[in-house]
């Protein structure tokens, strides 16, 4: 059995749990061969993105549906609140419409900002969704039409094999992948305590550029954004700044 197949089997055995897979590898655990019907790439594969190798805990396996070659194109991650207001919706439309010709846009297929990013990107570009459950789970169910289309024309990724349900702790863990895939991270809307801010922290840890939209004074939904600006993130306040975000040449 080759090492990539072993990784995939271990991922299925341990439902994608990173620590359990690491322990099994360390102990050179004996495993039985099994048929894996899902498409996947592993950390040993050429198609595995180099940006993920820079993570402290790079995913061992990425199961996928759709066009895996999208990982070879320039990517930008855009995230925000699940409770998207009118202002955030307008920001998504402006940002995605501007960037979708230059980048594959990455987000988390959650309700609110994430789902809307995918929706607008699909109109005239490409998008990647990173989820926190098996690929046979549609969560939230309101995004079922996005799942169906992205499985055919774009890309959905998960480090969790089919049969792995929604678990609360999967989402903050998933956020490190969101942070790593994009050349930078654009924050549409965020509360101080939120999954969005968790993703920002992951991006900061690997020296990603952080771009943030300002929000009105005392806006609870945007207070996380304003704090990031105060802490040194790049503030986006005019259209020309979006025009100037270009794909970087590979080293």
């Amino acid at each position: 059995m080759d090492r990539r197949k072993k990784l995939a089997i271990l991922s299925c055995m341990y439902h994608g749990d990173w620590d359990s897979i690491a322990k099994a590898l360390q102990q050179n655990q004996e495993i039985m061969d099994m048929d894996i019907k899902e498409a996947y790439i592993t950390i040993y594969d050429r198609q595995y993105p180099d940006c993920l190798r820079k993570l402290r805990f790079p995913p061992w396996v990425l199961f996928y549906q759709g066009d895996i070659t999208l990982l070879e194109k320039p990517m930008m991650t855009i995230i925000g609140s699940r409770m998207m207001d009118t202002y955030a919706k307008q920001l998504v439309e402006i940002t995605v419409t501007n960037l979708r010709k230059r980048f594959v846009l990455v987000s988390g297929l959650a309700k609110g900002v994430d789902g809307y990013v995918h929706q607008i990107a699909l109109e005239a570009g490409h998008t990647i969704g990173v989820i926190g459950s098996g690929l046979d789970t549609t969560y939230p169910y309101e995004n079922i039409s996005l799942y169906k289309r992205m499985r055919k024309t774009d890309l959905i990724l998960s480090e969790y094999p089919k049969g792995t349900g929604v678990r609360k702790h999967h989402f903050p863990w998933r956020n490190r992948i969101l942070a790593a895939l994009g050349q930078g991270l654009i924050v549409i809307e965020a509360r101080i305590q939120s999954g969005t801010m968790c993703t920002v922290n992951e991006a900061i840890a690997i020296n990603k550029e952080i771009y943030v939209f300002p929000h009105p004074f005392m806006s609870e939904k945007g207070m996380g954004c304003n704090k990031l600006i105060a802490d040194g993130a790049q503030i986006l306040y005019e259209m020309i700044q979006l025009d100037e975000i270009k794909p970087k040449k590979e080293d």
Side-chain angles (χ1 to χ4, degrees):
M1 182 187 306
D2 65 30
R3 59 183 184 172
R4 68 182 304 275
K5 179 70 177 295
K6 182 175 182 178
L7 268 186
I9 292 172
L10 287 172
S11 183
C12 292
M13 287 174 59
Y14 293 110
H15 304 286
D17 183 75
W18 197 98
D19 289 328
S20 297
I21 297 168
K23 184 177 180 181
L25 289 171
Q26 186 179 32
Q27 296 176 348
N28 196 24
Q29 180 178 326
E30 295 270 339
I31 60 173
M32 296 288 291
D33 197 5
M34 61 184 290
D35 185 23
I36 299 176
K37 299 187 188 305
E38 293 185 80
Y40 65 88
I41 57 174
T42 76
I43 197 169
Y44 300 129
D45 294 330
R46 179 191 60 79
Q47 288 177 299
Y48 188 93
D50 286 339
C51 57
L52 295 181
R53 300 182 195 277
K54 298 175 182 178
L55 289 168
R56 183 181 179 189
F57 303 104
W60 301 111
V61 180
L62 288 171
F63 299 96
Y64 70 90
Q65 292 175 330
D67 185 1
I68 196 65
T69 67
L70 291 179
L71 290 175
E72 300 170 11
K73 301 180 183 298
M75 294 174 279
M76 181 66 65
T77 300
I78 306 176
I79 57 172
S81 172
R82 284 173 166 80
M83 304 300 291
M84 178 175 59
D85 60 19
T86 301
Y87 176 57
K89 188 173 183 179
Q90 291 172 342
L91 292 178
V92 170
E93 292 168 357
I94 291 167
T95 305
V96 174
T97 301
N98 185 287
L99 296 180
R100 66 190 175 189
K101 292 297 185 182
R102 304 194 295 280
F103 294 95
V104 173
L105 299 176
V106 180
S107 201
L109 257 171
K111 66 181 292 187
V113 166
D114 289 18
Y116 201 47
V117 167
H118 298 303
Q119 179 182 328
I120 302 301
L122 285 167
E123 292 176 1
H126 287 290
T127 187
I128 297 172
V130 185
I131 65 173
S133 61
L135 292 168
D136 55 341
T137 299
T138 302
Y139 179 82
Y141 191 75
E142 66 191 64
N143 283 344
I144 187 170
S145 61
L146 283 174
Y147 273 79
K148 287 180 178 179
R149 183 170 176 187
M150 289 172 65
R151 285 167 179 152
K152 293 179 179 179
T153 64
D154 289 74
L155 183 63
I156 304 176
L157 297 172
S158 178
E159 65 183 311
Y160 301 105
K162 285 184 178 179
T164 307
V166 176
R167 302 289 184 271
K168 188 175 181 180
H169 66 278
H170 286 175
F171 294 97
W173 186 243
R174 174 277 312 266
N175 290 344
R176 78 197 196 287
I177 302 175
L178 283 174
L181 284 179
Q183 172 181 304
L185 179 69
I186 297 177
V187 184
I188 299 292
E189 183 178 59
R191 297 173 184 267
I192 290 286
Q193 300 291 333
S194 63
T196 300
M197 294 295 278
C198 172
T199 307
V200 171
N201 291 334
E202 295 284 355
I204 290 171
I206 51 176
N207 298 314
K208 295 286 184 175
E209 200 74 63
I210 312 295
Y211 304 91
V212 183
F213 286 100
H215 286 254
F217 179 70
M218 293 297 290
S219 165
E220 187 176 343
K221 286 186 177 181
M223 200 170 290
C225 289
N226 291 341
K227 184 178 187 306
L228 288 171
I229 293 167
D231 290 343
Q234 290 202 41
I235 181 173
L236 294 171
Y237 59 88
E238 60 178 343
M239 186 63 71
I240 192 171
Q241 292 175 290
L242 288 173
D243 295 337
E244 290 173 347
I245 301 176
K246 307 286 188 183
K248 293 180 181 178
K249 294 181 180 180
E250 294 184 4
D251 296 334

